Structure formats: structure tokens, C-alpha cells
Amino acid sequence: MSATELERAVTEVLIEEEELQRRIGELGAEISSDYEGRDLLLVGVLKGAVFFLADLMRHLTVPCEIDFMAISSYGASTDSSGVVRILKDLDINIEGRDVLVVEDIIDSGLTLSYLVRNLEAREPASLEVCALLTKPERREIDVPVRYTGFEIPNRFVIGYGLDFAERYRNLPYVGVLDESLVLGGA
Ligand code: IMP
Ligand code: MG
């Protein structure tokens, strides 16, 4: 896929690369100050959160570890099925740990709500959520999100980890997906 093919899927750049990085720096500073004197376990939700997690972690000044979970998502469609399944569980036992779940985007909130309940049952010392993006208009279930990067409108976005049918994660910015690709059943 050439750079131009990638760019053609984007109708509008929503958050520029510089703006993303600036906000991630702020989040990193805030988290570092909140967790001072403790050590942190970052739980990344595969695959979309990988880019955000890697950049966020470089701004943390507290000792931290990472682990990952994979849960079922949309497949090639752009709407949540409401069905959540663990495809890959954590390697680490989180009992008694300070856990921060790192997500790319919260849409309906169904995925995260399931995940938070599942992790709470493992009795961590604390459990908070950090999401790069949130679409408040789409929320179907209330989930407590301690740290949010950006509130965005109800548009399907790609880039900086976010995919459409597994593609476009490598765009360095967050852009709105060209809807004709969705209608075309890509
Ligand atoms: P939720 O369960 O509806 O909150 O969906 C959360 C998951 O859906 C995210 O972790 C993403 O994988 C995916 N998702 C939701 N909205 C978008 C979007 O605009 N672009 C790409 N993926 C999205
Ligand atoms: Mg995801």
C-alpha cells in the first residue's frame, strides 16, 4: 500500500500528529504525578492501543510494567456486536497491583465495561482507565474513565493504531474514514 493509497482513505484529519504527541505528554505527566511512590502495571488492549501505550509509557516517570489483553472486536464492520470474548489473557497476576488499562478509543463502552468487570474480579489494589479517544455521543453504558486524551464527534476514525478492517493503523495522525470504503464493503 503506497502512502497515497493510505491518505486516500482519510476524508479529514481530525487530530494532527503534533497535537496527539503534545496531549500524550500531558497525560504522561498527570499519570506520573498521580502514581508517585507506587509502581504501575499498564494493561494495553490489543491491537489498537499499542501505539498510544508505547508513546505514553515514554512519558511516565514512575516504575512501570506492561502486559496485554486481546478481546474480540468488530471484525471488518464498524459497529459493536456487543459480544466480548477474551482472545489473549494477561501473563501477569494483577492481584494487589496498581493497574491502568490503556485503550485506543471508547465508543459504546461495551468492550471496556466488560474488561473492567473482568479485571476487578482479580482484586487489583487499584484499577483505572486511560483512553486516547472517546465518542461521548455513542456511549451505551457508563464506564469510569480517569484519563481521556480527546473527545471526538461520532465519526469512524482511523490511524495512530485505529483500524478499519485491520488497515490504516500506521497513519501517524487520527483521521476520519472515507465512508465510501464502508459502503463498498471493504
Ligand atoms: P466499544 O465496545 O463500542 O466501546 O468499542 C471499542 C472498540 O471498538 C475500540 O477499542 C476499537 O477497537 C473499536 N472502535 C470503536 N470506534 C472506532 C473507530 O472510530 N475507529 C476504529 N475503531 C473503533
Ligand atoms: Mg480496540
Side-chain angles (χ1 to χ4, degrees):
M1 187 179 278
S2 70
T4 48
E5 259 185 87
L6 262 182
E7 306 276 347
R8 248 185 277 140
V10 177
T11 50
E12 182 195 332
V13 176
L14 209 57
I15 312 168
E16 300 276 6
E17 186 173 3
E18 294 72 23
E19 180 64 2
L20 281 172
Q21 294 304 329
R22 188 197 58 76
R23 181 69 185 126
I24 293 167
E26 285 178 359
L27 288 171
E30 192 183 342
I31 294 166
S32 298
S33 130
D34 291 351
Y35 286 87
E36 206 180 323
R38 293 187 280 168
D39 55 61
L40 191 53
L41 175 64
L42 300 170
V43 170
V45 183
L46 293 173
K47 305 167 195 168
V50 166
F51 300 68
F52 174 42
L53 178 55
D55 285 339
L56 179 68
M57 197 177 184
R58 277 176 278 204
H59 289 283
L60 298 182
T61 55
V62 290
C64 52
E65 296 168 38
I66 46 174
D67 201 354
F68 293 97
M69 278 183 93
I71 45 194
S72 63
S73 62
Y74 298 173
S77 145
T78 58
D79 251 331
S80 185
S81 59
V83 179
V84 179
R85 198 159 47 96
I86 294 181
L87 304 175
K88 184 224 169 285
D89 207 339
L90 296 173
D91 296 329
I92 297 175
N93 176 7
I94 64 167
E95 191 180 335
R97 299 293 306 266
D98 289 304
V99 176
L100 180 64
V101 174
V102 179
E103 253 287 31
D104 50 4
I105 187 165
I106 305 172
D107 190 32
S108 69
L110 293 169
T111 308
L112 193 63
S113 160
Y114 168 84
L115 194 64
V116 165
R117 268 182 288 124
N118 182 290
L119 295 177
E120 284 287 8
R122 306 180 196 196
E123 301 183 348
S126 69
L127 181 66
E128 301 290 351
V129 175
C130 175
L132 179 66
L133 307 174
T134 179
K135 292 183 199 168
E137 286 170 53
R138 295 265 302 176
R139 200 62 33 82
E140 286 175 30
I141 189 164
D142 193 41
V143 270
V145 181
R146 175 81 177 268
Y147 308 97
T148 305
F150 302 88
E151 288 195 355
I152 62 166
N154 182 14
R155 316 282 295 277
F156 195 85
V157 291
I158 53 174
Y160 196 67
L162 291 149
D163 73 305
F164 171 62
E166 292 301 325
R167 292 201 186 171
Y168 313 113
R169 297 190 195 275
N170 52 325
L171 286 166
Y173 51 81
V174 173
V176 176
L177 175 72
D178 180 352
E179 294 290 337
S180 69
L181 293 178
V182 181
L183 300 172

